[in-house]
Amino acid sequence: LLLGNKKHKKTRHMMYYAFPLLIANLVLAGSEYITHNRIRKGISENETIDTPYDGNAVMTDTNDAGGIGKTTSETKLSWQPAKGTRLIQLSVDFRGNNIWGVDKDEKVWYRAGQSGTWRKMDGSCKRVSVSGDNNHVWCVDSSGRVYFRHGKHGRWEQKSGSLVDVSVSHNGDAVWGVDSRKKVWYRNGRNGSWSEISTRFDAVQVDVSGDGKTVGALDASDSLHYRDGVSGNWRTTRTVLKQISIDRYGKHLWGTYNRKVYCSNGISNNWIDLRDGERVWVEVSGDGKWVWSVDTRHEVSYRSGDLNDEWKHLNVNETVTVD
């Protein structure tokens, strides 16, 4: 009855033309949304510097939802690729506030903790180690050349020797390395000289605690050996690892084997299998409170040393600075 009067006939006439216009606008908005997302996706893919190349690579990235250790619903999302550089190895300082890493092209990268962004540094390395105080950075390149720099503002200085792996203590006084002949070497800081440390095994990796009192070495058969600093004697454990990282006092140790993560509260103690994802590299901060990892999907994550914690990604929306 109401639709029969003149006023509502006019209203119905206006709705007749307005409704198709509304539908058209909604379709256009949806198209713009899809296009916008495709453009953003293209930017994200273009800003990824390297592509995956083997099972030992890494991509570094973290969650930006609050500070370290603050878990939000975002941090529990499934793994996802992130913008940033891809690394093959990394090293962190005492509190995890300074992170150094290298990629497959031997480019060197630096990041000021989980809240920073990756910055490409000068130099070319395939393995890097930073002291707990962040003032001593050592690295080796693919030709075995050894370099040192005084923190992030320093310049690389080539040092004597030829190594494939290097590790430095908290204050830089103790530097350990492995050469291509699988021999272990030690020097007393940047101004010291290399001395061979005799072994009865072929070493492939070495790591020194921040206080220099605990040294762990892995041999070609993945067996773990350790000694009490430069004056100690090698002892062999029943532990097998592919890679090891030791905190400042030798009380928090992390390692990988067959892409699994293990941890221990003493180098000769039992190791716990965390059973929480495939990872090829782990690095514990000097204070033992934070752990960084490289997984098989080329992504870098961090977590607290609490065994009940979960891995968190670096900020998925970050950008990369190239000087």
Side-chain angles (χ1 to χ4, degrees), residues 93-148:
D93 69 351
F94 181 69
R95 299 188 187 281
N97 293 330
N98 296 278
I99 308 164
W100 291 76
V102 293
D103 65 21
K104 71 182 182 67
D105 296 318
E106 299 191 20
K107 295 183 178 67
V108 182
W109 296 87
Y110 167 81
R111 182 184 183 115
Q114 67 91 15
S115 60
T117 57
W118 290 108
R119 177 177 295 274
K120 181 178 174 295
M121 309 295 281
D122 62 309
S124 175
C125 300
K126 76 169 187 177
R127 188 63 60 87
V128 65
S129 178
V130 59
S131 62
D133 60 12
N134 193 42
N135 289 327
H136 307 264
V137 186
W138 289 79
C139 80
V140 296
D141 65 16
S142 58
S143 298
R145 290 183 289 261
V146 182
Y147 296 91
F148 164 86

Side-chain angles (χ1 to χ4, degrees), residues 52-301:
Y53 59 99
D54 62 33
N56 294 320
V58 335
M59 177 167 178
T60 67
D61 180 273
T62 44
N63 191 323
D64 196 25
I68 282 185
K70 295 181 180 178
T71 304
T72 70
S73 58
E74 274 189 81
T75 66
K76 297 182 179 179
L77 295 176
S78 59
W79 296 112
Q80 53 185 310
K83 293 186 293 184
T85 185
R86 300 177 185 270
L87 307 181
I88 59 172
Q89 180 259 337
L90 54 77
S91 179
V92 301
D93 69 351
F94 181 69
R95 299 188 187 281
N97 293 330
N98 296 278
I99 308 164
W100 291 76
V102 293
D103 65 21
K104 71 182 182 67
D105 296 318
E106 299 191 20
K107 295 183 178 67
V108 182
W109 296 87
Y110 167 81
R111 182 184 183 115
Q114 67 91 15
S115 60
T117 57
W118 290 108
R119 177 177 295 274
K120 181 178 174 295
M121 309 295 281
D122 62 309
S124 175
C125 300
K126 76 169 187 177
R127 188 63 60 87
V128 65
S129 178
V130 59
S131 62
D133 60 12
N134 193 42
N135 289 327
H136 307 264
V137 186
W138 289 79
C139 80
V140 296
D141 65 16
S142 58
S143 298
R145 290 183 289 261
V146 182
Y147 296 91
F148 164 86
R149 70 183 291 160
H150 186 70
K152 64 181 179 180
H153 299 300
R155 295 182 177 275
W156 292 112
E157 308 169 11
Q158 184 173 351
K159 297 296 183 180
S160 62
S162 177
L163 300 174
V164 296
D165 186 43
V166 67
S167 178
V168 59
S169 64
H170 178 85
N171 59 8
D173 286 349
V175 186
W176 290 76
V178 175
D179 67 16
S180 59
R181 298 176 301 142
K182 298 180 172 58
K183 304 296 184 182
V184 176
W185 295 82
Y186 165 85
R187 71 182 288 161
N188 185 20
R190 62 181 294 192
N191 296 320
S193 58
W194 292 107
S195 299
E196 183 178 349
I197 305 297
S198 62
T199 65
R200 295 184 179 180
F201 56 88
D202 292 333
V204 294
Q205 194 228 334
V206 65
D207 199 67
V208 59
S209 61
D211 60 9
K213 295 181 179 181
T214 303
V215 182
L218 301 175
D219 66 22
S221 299
D222 303 327
S223 293
L224 172 61
H225 310 264
Y226 71 98
R227 62 186 293 146
D228 298 327
V230 68
S231 60
N233 297 310
W234 291 110
R235 283 166 281 185
T236 302
T237 72
R238 296 182 178 181
T239 301
V240 289
L241 294 171
K242 285 291 186 182
Q243 178 259 328
I244 186 174
S245 176
I246 309 173
D247 74 345
R248 183 171 183 176
Y249 301 109
K251 295 181 178 180
H252 300 89
L253 299 92
W254 290 69
T256 60
Y257 184 71
N258 284 345
R259 301 183 178 183
K260 296 180 180 179
V261 177
Y262 296 84
C263 65
S264 175
N265 59 6
I267 198 164
S268 61
N269 295 344
N270 292 330
W271 289 73
I272 301 172
D273 181 359
L274 295 188
R275 304 180 184 276
D276 62 350
E278 295 190 339
R279 301 175 193 278
V280 296
W281 193 278
V282 290
E283 193 77 13
V284 61
S285 60
D287 61 7
K289 294 181 178 180
W290 302 105
V291 187
W292 297 77
S293 76
V294 171
D295 67 21
T296 57
R297 302 204 304 180
H298 314 277
E299 296 170 342
V300 168
S301 304

